Amino acid sequence: ENTDFSIKSIEKTKQQIIKDEILNIIIHDYELGDKIPNETEWINKFGSNKVMIGQVLRDLKRDCYIETKRGVGTFVKDKEPEHSYSLVTNGFEYNARQVGKRASSKVLEYEILKADEKIASKLSINVGDEIIYWKRVRLMDNVPMLVEKTYMNRELFMDFTKENLNSSVYEYVDQKYTRSQSRRKIAALVATDILNELLDLDGNVGILYFEHIGYLKNGNPFEFSQSYQRGDMNIYQFEG
């Protein structure tokens, strides 16, 4: 039995797990340009060794997720280009119908939560206010197209339930309010193992990452979402 090979395989698996966990923290807990923990803090958090954490951070720099500024620290890399625009978003179901396909969802998580500082800021509400949160995979003709995480101000949608995720959320919203502009940030990412599994990818497909804030006609935000869209089946055209 090749013991050295087995040990190296275990270490590589552990390193990939730590990389995925650090990347998940960076994507969900920090904004573009934010300073992140240093190497020692990551070592303490994961109980790992300096060599492994150092390699993980080098990998994330190589993949353009983070950058180090000498004498200052390590930061989430501000990826360009960033597109912000004012359009009413029609939604996934509408887009599917436009190309003659059937939209469906696989709900992975659904909860009523208390807004933390980041989500409260995005939705212009107070820390601790109730929000509706879900994570789901969106499919067209049973082909997974994207993974989304969405947060909505529960005060605006007290009768919203998990069952509403089986149909168009925007059609539900439009029955109550008039939607207005939306703002998005777009970045190109390397897919994590988790995204490869959820989107049924082979590891060689890039990901388009969107941050989206939807607004009502009165100017108040009603939703904040993060979506990870497979780069081989989503094409966007910008004009202007």
Side-chain angles (χ1 to χ4, degrees):
E1 182 180 355
N2 192 333
T3 305
D4 290 341
F5 178 79
S6 299
I7 292 173
K8 289 179 181 179
S9 296
I10 293 172
E11 287 297 310
K12 184 176 181 180
T13 300
K14 182 178 180 182
Q15 181 174 309
Q16 185 60 53
I17 291 172
I18 291 176
K19 180 182 177 181
D20 285 348
E21 290 185 0
I22 290 178
L23 180 56
N24 188 61
I25 291 170
I26 289 171
I27 289 175
H28 296 116
D29 294 350
Y30 294 90
E31 300 286 344
L32 300 180
D34 281 355
K35 187 175 182 179
I36 66 171
N38 59 35
E39 183 180 85
T40 300
E41 291 171 315
W42 290 120
I43 291 171
N44 293 335
K45 180 176 180 63
F46 290 100
S48 186
N49 60 64
K50 182 180 177 69
V51 174
M52 184 174 292
I53 292 296
Q55 185 59 54
V56 166
L57 295 178
R58 285 191 292 273
D59 288 348
L60 292 174
K61 289 178 190 175
R62 179 200 64 203
D63 295 338
C64 296
Y65 288 106
I66 62 177
E67 60 183 343
T68 298
K69 299 178 182 178
R70 188 179 296 276
V72 181
T74 302
F75 299 80
V76 181
K77 190 167 184 178
D78 195 350
K79 296 175 180 284
E80 296 291 345
E82 174 181 311
H83 302 277
S84 295
Y85 52 91
S86 296
L87 294 171
V88 175
T89 302
N90 293 313
F92 189 82
E93 282 82 1
Y94 174 87
N95 293 333
R97 288 196 296 267
Q98 290 297 103
V99 294
K101 297 183 181 293
R102 183 178 66 84
S104 60
S105 299
K106 178 181 178 182
V107 180
L108 306 175
E109 300 173 16
Y110 178 85
E111 296 182 79
I112 303 298
L113 303 175
K114 302 291 187 181
D116 60 17
E117 186 174 349
K118 176 182 178 180
I119 301 303
S121 174
K122 297 291 186 183
L123 294 176
S124 297
I125 58 178
N126 297 317
V127 173
D129 284 355
E130 286 191 334
I131 55 173
I132 305 165
Y133 160 76
W134 67 80
K135 178 179 178 180
R136 62 179 175 172
V137 179
R138 307 306 314 274
L139 307 95
M140 285 190 185
D141 286 351
N142 295 320
V143 176
M145 300 294 291
L146 63 90
V147 177
E148 70 170 17
K149 298 176 67 175
T150 299
Y151 308 81
M152 287 179 34
N153 181 357
R154 191 180 183 221
E155 184 179 9
L156 299 175
F157 309 104
M158 294 299 293
D159 61 347
F160 190 93
T161 67
K162 186 177 180 179
E163 282 64 43
N164 290 109
L165 298 178
N166 295 323
S167 56
S168 170
V169 172
Y170 284 152
E171 289 179 5
Y172 162 87
V173 173
D174 290 344
Q175 292 176 1
K176 299 176 177 293
Y177 304 99
T178 300
R179 289 183 295 123
S180 181
Q181 66 185 25
S182 64
R183 296 183 64 84
R184 288 185 178 182
K185 294 181 179 180
I186 308 173
L189 303 179
V190 177
T192 63
D193 287 348
I194 294 173
L195 287 174
N196 282 328
E197 180 179 354
L198 291 175
L199 294 174
D200 194 24
L201 303 177
D202 62 7
N204 296 313
V205 176
I207 294 293
L208 293 174
Y209 169 70
F210 286 78
E211 279 192 8
H212 166 87
I213 299 178
Y215 295 85
L216 300 177
K217 188 176 181 180
N218 61 12
N220 293 330
F222 71 93
E223 69 161 350
F224 168 63
S225 68
Q226 299 168 303
S227 66
Y228 305 84
Q229 306 187 16
R230 53 191 301 165
D232 60 339
M233 291 188 178
N234 289 288
I235 298 174
Y236 293 87
Q237 179 175 316
F238 296 90
E239 298 179 358

